[in-house]
């Protein structure tokens, strides 16, 4: 509707074309859905290309965030391990000092 192509809504609905299916459409599939106007197909293909690019950008951003979270988790684990080792060493040193007395 936002592309002013309302005339195709009934056929897309009848063929159960949802967002996932829509991204798989190419010129010949659009033609088979009754989209006879090459201008209309061009509009849809251009919009689909934009949507795919947007999805790819979002996917990459999500991957980047996940990598950053994983890096932060590893850093936190390393810090906890270092603290644990320091605590163990201090406890060990204190025990040795008590044993020497």
């Amino acid at each position: 509707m936002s592309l002013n192509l309302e005339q195709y809504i009934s056929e897309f609905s009848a063929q159960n074309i949802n967002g996932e299916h829509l991204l798989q459409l190419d010129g010949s599939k659009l033609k088979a859905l009754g989209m006879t106007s090459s201008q209309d197909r061009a509009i849809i293909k251009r919009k689909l290309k934009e949507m795919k690019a947007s999805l790819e950008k979002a996917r990459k951003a999500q991957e980047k965030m996940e990598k950053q979270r994983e890096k932060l988790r590893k850093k936190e684990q390393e810090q906890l391990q270092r603290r644990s080792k320091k605590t163990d060493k201090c406890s060990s040193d204190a025990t040795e000092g008590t044993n020497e007395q």
Side-chain angles (χ1 to χ4, degrees), residues 16-44:
N16 294 318
I17 304 297
N18 59 22
E20 191 174 324
H21 290 124
L22 187 63
L23 292 173
Q24 305 302 318
L25 297 178
D26 60 13
S28 62
K29 291 177 184 174
L30 290 169
K31 208 176 217 181
L33 285 167
M35 200 173 268
T36 55
S37 167
S38 61
Q39 287 179 328
D40 291 351
R41 286 193 307 274
I43 291 169
I44 292 284

Side-chain angles (χ1 to χ4, degrees), residues 39-65:
Q39 287 179 328
D40 291 351
R41 286 193 307 274
I43 291 169
I44 292 284
K45 289 191 294 185
R46 185 172 42 253
K47 192 64 172 178
L48 289 174
K49 186 176 180 178
E50 290 172 12
M51 289 170 62
K52 288 176 184 178
S54 179
L55 284 171
E56 183 64 18
K57 186 176 178 180
R59 184 188 63 78
K60 286 182 179 182
Q62 180 69 27
E63 285 178 359
K64 184 177 179 180
M65 285 179 57

Side-chain angles (χ1 to χ4, degrees), residues 53-98:
S54 179
L55 284 171
E56 183 64 18
K57 186 176 178 180
R59 184 188 63 78
K60 286 182 179 182
Q62 180 69 27
E63 285 178 359
K64 184 177 179 180
M65 285 179 57
E66 287 173 10
K67 285 180 182 179
Q68 288 174 341
R69 284 187 194 130
E70 185 61 30
K71 188 176 179 179
L72 184 60
R73 270 187 241 132
K74 285 181 181 180
K75 189 174 180 179
E76 288 172 350
Q77 283 179 339
E78 289 172 0
Q79 288 175 346
L80 286 173
Q81 287 174 349
R82 278 191 231 121
R83 287 181 190 150
S84 178
K85 286 179 183 179
K86 278 185 178 181
T87 305
D88 289 347
K89 185 176 182 199
C90 289
S91 297
S92 176
D93 291 347
T95 305
E96 286 177 15
T98 305

